[in-house]
Amino acid sequence: MASTLRALLEWPHLRRGLLIGLCVVLYVAPLAVGTEYRLFIATQMGVYILVAIGLNLLNGYGGQVSLGHGALVAIGAYAAALTMVDLHWSFWPAALLAMVMAAGVGLLMALPAFRLSTWYFALITLGFAEVIAGLLTEWRALTHGFAGVVGIPAPKAFGYAFTARDLYWFVLTLVVLTLVGMANLLNSRFGRALVAVRDNPVAATASGVSLVRIKIFAFVLSAAVAGLAGALFAVQKTVITPEDFPADFSVFFLLVIVLGGSGRLAGPVVGALVFFLVPELLTALQSWRLLIYGGALLLLMLYAPHGLVGAAEGLWKKLRARLGLPNIPPTPVAADAPIRAIDGAQLSVRDVSKRFGGVAALASVDLDVAPGVTHAIVGPNGSGKTTLLNMISGYYRVDQGAIAVEGRRTENLAPHAIARAGVGRTFQTPRLLPHLSVLENVLLGAFTAEKHSWLSAALALPAARREQQASLAEALRYLEFVGLRERAMELAGELPHGQQRLAEIARALVGRPKLLMLDEPAAGLSLAELDRLGELIAAIRGIGATVVIVEHHLELVADICSRVTALERGAVLASGAPQDVFSDQAVVSAYMGAHVRIGEKGA
Amino acid sequence: MDPDLIVNGVVAGSLYALVAMGFNILYRPTNVFNFAQGDLVMLGAMICASAMALWSLPWFVGAALALAAVGLLGLIEERIAVAPVLRRSASGHAWVITTLSFSMIIANLVGRIWGPDPIAVRPPPPLTTETFELFGANVSSYQIALVAATIALAAGVESFYRTRAGKAVMAVAEDREAALLRGIAPESLSRWSFLFGGAIAALAGVLAAPLLYASIGLGPSLLLKGFATAAVGGIGSNRGALIAGYVIGLVEALAAVVLSPGYQMAATFAVMLIVLLIRPHGLFGHPEARSV
């Protein structure tokens, strides 16, 4: 028994086999049991699932709470219904208009929120839903007020009008295609960027992801899907009135995905299924609906934040563990990729100053790093080393002075733009995405190296797949380079601290930085890890990248760096070859009091 | 401009400023924007109205009852809907959904207990809602008292932030961990601010009731208008809330006359979006500190 079960679970095509089987059943079902009522309910469920899939992209993966998706569906439904009834458009251009309208109106409304905290977005979308609900009844000339739009025709193709069953198949096909496209998209650079923006915005920008652009992308795509669902909603119901879009419509969709599993691909499907399987319960308790929605949302958020799918995943892992099967998926195979050389960039920092309130963190600092050189910045705590890194990488605004990478001025660029210009970096506390695998974290670093569009990622076009394979090969190669290939498929959050640092270095390297900046890479490393780090930095120099390293560990610095700049209280104390800087009287006294000489202790 | 329009705008604006101040008091130490605030305001109005109508209690006993009960409910909200998710992730935004859920639960329960009919509330004597003419506008003594009370409250809250306890609140808002190291306990501050935020919400409801009637419809509309006010004024700034309240109250009064009452919400919303596009942190707000 256990061994058959194990054999079944180990069957590599288990998941795909189940899904294809399910699809076949869903396609064939209406021929066998397709009463009109059932078809109506099933089609409606498909429409709701479509909305929920779009919302899941935004909320589950992007971390943005939209309380206006019901209103976006209403916009799509009205756009399609009004053009089809009043202007006699055919369904296809009407559906396209529904998508464009939902995306456009939604974007206009959410634009200011993208620069602000997540909850602004939630409230603005909530207010927007209220405004739309008001306009549906108020703007009678356009919307026909409470009477609604009547007699919406069925879609036609080549003169043939869709029956209820055809519409079911059509919606089912759209749901399947959207799910497949979403799975492809989430598996691409866009999916990883979205999760990075949700879980660690700093990691995202350091990898060249623009926070605003990726949020707008997720919202527009999600709104367009809601608009399409709205058009289907209209042709399915044939009559739409403002009452079809109640105030809690948006919350309903949120509940569907939280119940099913927010941030899980199957979440919206499972959530909608549960909702439609208990309709009797809901009609009997209609007047308690808000209480039930609210109570369910609260309990789910507190006790099952990943919903039913998340809970099932937990059980699945337990089952596999009980059967002695590994829960870590096998590392994907990729063609062997050689590590390509990098043209190191020249860095020049001229007269840069930074004040925080009344404190001068940096006072007219100069720093010159020649291409391919490994340059250390040392100094006591609070001397401005990390501040300088943060200014070069754009996280702090430059009060005064100029910074140039390869002669190109960067001091006014946003962090993601500087990353795109070839400046990679790591942080004092590693900024990884703890819920993604180490490999996925490293792949995030390839965001700017890959060039394919979101559409070719969603459609898995050959060009996109080729690029993704190349990134995968590169990522695995760099994981081997830093000694983490064996742990590629483990969750990044479960790595020990020292290995998280190494993974972060690999992520920066995958972006092929011309200038790599490491912020205290040796802090908290064991002796063995320290040796490995030294070799690693030497190897990086070997590839050709310029390296700037902020470090307290002076032996390491003396070993691997050819130039050193010492800072104290925001000013440059000395700059030059390590032995010169470390024997400089001012540096020695700043560091450890007047009497110690670094070279004498046999370093 | 019609003087009555200005009166209506300033009075409505004062109410929105009161709601926004409730948001601010809660937001400062917790960085949580309470989605149930509108319903807490509504509940305050309902409790006060019922105490006066059913048990014929005097106005301020009813008001005190409402403040105490809603403050307590705020505390309960913090315990069951906010503290658990903040403990899981202090920087996460799960509280958006949990406070929203809490608001849905209150709205549904209040609707079941009180029913949909609005309850009329008399202002505390000697104030009345009878209007008289002043500089060509029709005003009532209650309206004047409401506007004055709002200004006094804003000044009072701002001066609190200059005291030692007030500075502790600001410190937690700025950097929770650093404040912890300085011996400030964010957990207890967070409880206190929900208690006070709840009481201020009830106060807004109690003060609004003689003008707007107490009804369950108050909740959602005051949540959104209070948010628009807080956002335009700058989240956390009570002076900003006061001025933004007047702006939004006037825009709304104007929209009702020029367009139609049905477009009030759209007009408010449009003003808020334009302000946020130009100044993302509102008229008096500060951008949040960066953390790298």
Side-chain angles (χ1 to χ4, degrees):
Chain A
M1 174 66 199
S3 63
T4 352
L5 192 58
R6 193 178 303 134
L8 185 65
L9 293 190
E10 271 185 319
W11 186 44
H13 306 297
L14 176 68
R15 188 181 284 233
R16 182 166 293 193
L18 281 176
L19 287 177
I20 291 175
L22 184 66
C23 272
V24 169
V25 170
L26 287 174
Y27 272 103
V28 176
L31 298 174
V33 292
T35 68
E36 204 160 302
Y37 175 71
R38 283 180 189 154
L39 273 174
F40 183 83
I41 292 291
T43 309
Q44 194 177 37
M45 184 162 88
V47 172
Y48 285 6
I49 288 177
L50 214 50
V51 182
I53 294 171
L55 183 60
N56 193 30
L57 176 78
L58 184 67
N59 175 258
Y61 295 93
Q64 305 290 312
V65 180
S66 162
L67 298 173
H69 260 55
L72 294 173
V73 176
I75 288 180
Y78 268 88
L82 289 170
T83 49
M84 287 173 79
V85 172
D86 289 358
L87 304 177
H88 310 290
W89 284 23
S90 97
F91 172 74
W92 311 104
L96 191 66
L97 180 77
M99 290 173 76
V100 172
M101 285 277 290
V105 175
L107 177 66
L108 198 67
M109 158 266 319
L111 212 48
F114 288 118
R115 287 191 288 172
L116 295 162
S117 193
T118 301
W119 57 266
Y120 271 92
F121 186 78
L123 275 158
I124 288 178
T125 49
L126 182 67
F128 161 76
E130 197 97 334
V131 169
I132 296 294
L135 289 182
L136 286 188
T137 53
E138 201 67 28
W139 195 355
R140 279 180 217 101
L142 181 73
T143 65
H144 308 286
F146 285 110
V149 191
V150 185
I152 304 159
K156 277 188 191 143
F158 309 108
Y160 168 77
F162 281 28
T163 63
R165 203 195 287 162
D166 299 329
L167 196 60
Y168 165 82
W169 277 324
F170 180 52
V171 170
L172 176 61
T173 307
L174 283 177
V175 168
V176 171
L177 289 180
T178 312
L179 271 177
V180 171
M182 208 57 89
N184 287 337
L185 194 62
L186 290 170
N187 230 337
S188 75
R189 64 187 187 123
F190 297 99
R192 287 187 289 273
L194 202 55
V195 172
V197 169
R198 178 190 72 190
D199 287 350
N200 200 329
V202 172
T205 49
S207 305
V209 178
S210 154
L211 302 183
V212 171
R213 283 183 63 175
I214 204 87
K215 282 188 203 171
I216 289 180
F217 157 73
F219 186 67
V220 167
L221 188 57
S222 164
V225 172
L228 173 66
L232 295 165
F233 185 93
V235 292
Q236 194 224 353
K237 296 199 92 158
T238 66
V239 177
I240 54 167
T241 66
E243 274 146 44
D244 286 323
F245 310 98
D248 54 16
F249 202 39
S250 301
V251 177
F252 162 79
F253 289 115
L254 196 61
L255 181 54
V256 163
I257 63 166
V258 172
L259 176 66
S262 171
R264 297 292 189 274
L265 195 61
V269 182
V270 173
L273 265 176
V274 171
F275 248 98
F276 276 81
L277 288 179
V278 285
E280 307 305 322
L281 181 87
L282 282 180
T283 40
L285 298 171
Q286 191 66 15
S287 58
W288 294 102
R289 192 168 56 178
L290 269 186
L291 181 80
I292 295 170
Y293 283 10
L297 267 178
L298 186 58
L299 288 175
L300 285 163
M301 289 306 290
L302 292 180
Y303 299 109
H306 300 298
L308 294 170
V309 174
E313 272 173 9
L315 287 177
W316 173 252
K317 282 189 178 153
K318 263 190 205 145
L319 174 68
R320 285 183 65 97
R322 173 90 51 96
L323 292 168
L325 294 170
N327 269 317
I328 295 167
T331 312
V333 278
D336 238 7
I339 286 187
R340 288 175 288 163
I342 294 174
D343 282 334
Q346 182 232 353
L347 169 70
S348 117
V349 173
R350 212 37 87 240
D351 191 27
V352 160
S353 299
K354 178 75 189 168
R355 300 185 74 83
F356 292 112
V359 185
L362 289 179
S364 62
V365 166
D366 289 328
L367 177 71
D368 281 290
V369 185
V373 163
T374 300
H375 192 121
I377 302 172
V378 300
N381 282 326
S383 57
K385 307 182 297 291
T386 297
T387 303
L388 184 56
L389 281 203
N390 283 340
M391 293 176 78
I392 297 169
S393 50
Y395 288 97
Y396 292 161
R397 237 176 46 94
V398 175
D399 288 349
Q400 177 206 316
I403 298 174
V405 177
E406 276 191 318
R408 182 177 163 216
R409 296 282 285 270
T410 60
E411 73 266 15
N412 290 321
L413 296 181
H416 72 268
I418 294 177
R420 279 168 174 265
V423 179
R425 71 168 288 183
T426 66
F427 298 89
Q428 267 182 37
T429 352
R431 306 263 178 168
L432 296 178
L433 309 174
H435 308 298
L436 295 190
S437 71
V438 177
L439 176 62
E440 285 172 306
N441 268 281
V442 174
L443 280 170
L444 173 65
F447 183 82
T448 50
E450 295 179 23
K451 302 291 176 216
H452 60 265
S453 71
W454 68 270
L455 197 59
S456 53
L459 298 174
L461 295 185
R465 296 240 293 260
R466 255 197 314 276
E467 234 177 26
Q468 287 165 359
Q469 278 302 316
S471 295
L472 177 67
E474 192 126 321
L476 287 170
R477 189 73 191 82
Y478 278 113
L479 274 171
E480 194 169 307
F481 188 70
V482 302
L484 281 178
R485 183 158 180 158
E486 280 66 45
R487 312 200 69 167
M489 299 311 283
E490 291 177 40
L491 292 186
E494 288 170 7
L495 288 189
H497 189 76
Q499 296 192 342
Q500 292 200 12
R501 281 187 186 290
L502 295 175
E504 205 186 29
I505 294 175
R507 178 177 74 199
L509 284 173
V510 168
R512 298 178 45 75
K514 294 172 183 157
L515 167 63
L516 176 64
M517 302 197 291
L518 306 172
D519 196 354
E520 296 197 18
L525 293 196
S526 67
L527 276 179
E529 285 172 332
L530 210 57
D531 285 345
R532 166 122 213 112
L533 180 72
E535 289 165 22
L536 183 61
I537 294 173
I540 293 169
R541 189 181 46 202
I543 303 173
T546 309
V547 181
V548 170
I549 169 172
V550 164
E551 189 46 70
H552 278 301
H553 204 288
L554 298 186
E555 289 176 35
L556 182 75
V557 167
D559 270 359
I560 58 173
C561 298
S562 47
R563 309 292 289 177
V564 176
T565 295
L567 290 181
E568 197 203 16
R569 291 183 200 164
V572 175
L573 217 51
S575 199
Q579 61 273 22
D580 300 337
V581 172
F582 291 150
S583 56
D584 184 289
Q585 202 51 49
V587 173
V588 171
S589 61
Y591 238 96
M592 35 198 78
H595 309 299
V596 190
R597 299 210 117 218
I598 293 160
E600 288 170 7
K601 295 193 82 181
Chain B
M1 201 192 283
D2 183 3
D4 281 349
L5 208 96
I6 297 176
V7 171
N8 289 341
V10 168
V11 170
S14 298
L15 287 176
Y16 304 154
L18 276 172
V19 180
M21 278 188 248
F23 281 129
N24 286 343
I25 286 174
L26 243 161
Y27 184 79
R28 266 192 169 155
T30 57
N31 285 343
V32 167
F33 190 91
N34 185 13
F35 277 63
Q37 197 77 2
D39 292 294
L40 295 183
V41 173
M42 177 270 291
L43 186 61
M46 297 303 265
I47 291 176
C48 180
S50 305
M52 289 171 67
L54 295 180
W55 306 318
S56 359
L57 293 171
W59 181 85
F60 30 146
V61 179
L65 215 61
L67 261 66
V70 177
L72 202 64
L73 191 64
L75 185 62
I76 293 173
E77 182 189 2
E78 198 270 347
R79 289 286 86 197
I80 68 173
V82 177
V85 289
L86 282 187
R87 213 171 294 137
R88 198 188 301 145
S89 159
S91 59
H93 286 96
W95 54 261
V96 171
I97 296 180
T98 54
T99 59
L100 179 74
S101 324
F102 200 78
S103 118
M104 290 157 71
I105 294 171
I106 299 176
N108 200 267
L109 287 178
V110 171
R112 299 299 293 188
I113 295 169
W114 270 279
D117 298 327
I119 310 170
V121 177
R122 270 173 291 108
L127 299 175
T128 70
T129 46
E130 308 268 309
T131 55
F132 57 89
E133 213 178 286
L134 184 73
F135 307 121
N138 290 305
V139 295
S140 70
S141 57
Y142 185 71
Q143 287 177 323
I144 294 172
L146 174 74
V147 172
T150 308
I151 296 173
L153 192 69
V157 173
E158 282 297 304
S159 66
F160 164 75
Y161 283 117
R162 284 192 287 274
T163 64
R164 195 177 143 80
K167 282 181 182 151
V169 170
M170 302 295 273
V172 174
E174 202 71 39
D175 189 335
R176 216 175 157 89
E177 275 166 38
L180 199 65
L181 294 176
R182 301 246 172 226
I184 300 166
E187 285 259 341
S188 98
L189 258 182
S190 153
R191 281 199 294 273
W192 278 107
S193 51
F194 267 82
L195 188 73
F196 272 116
I200 294 277
L203 182 66
V206 167
L207 292 178
L211 295 172
L212 301 178
Y213 296 104
S215 84
I216 51 166
L218 281 182
S221 82
L222 285 182
L223 168 70
L224 287 172
K225 286 171 187 166
F227 160 66
T229 305
V232 168
I235 302 291
S237 164
N238 292 304
R239 193 164 43 125
L242 201 59
I243 291 164
Y246 297 149
V247 170
I248 287 182
L250 286 171
V251 165
E252 216 181 50
L254 212 61
V257 175
V258 178
L259 300 164
S260 99
Y263 288 106
Q264 278 186 339
M265 188 66 209
T268 305
F269 201 64
V271 168
M272 180 187 73
L273 288 188
I274 292 167
V275 170
L276 289 185
L277 260 181
I278 300 165
R279 290 184 63 93
H281 297 282
L283 299 175
F284 294 90
H286 306 285
E288 288 140 64
R290 266 213 178 115
S291 56
V292 174

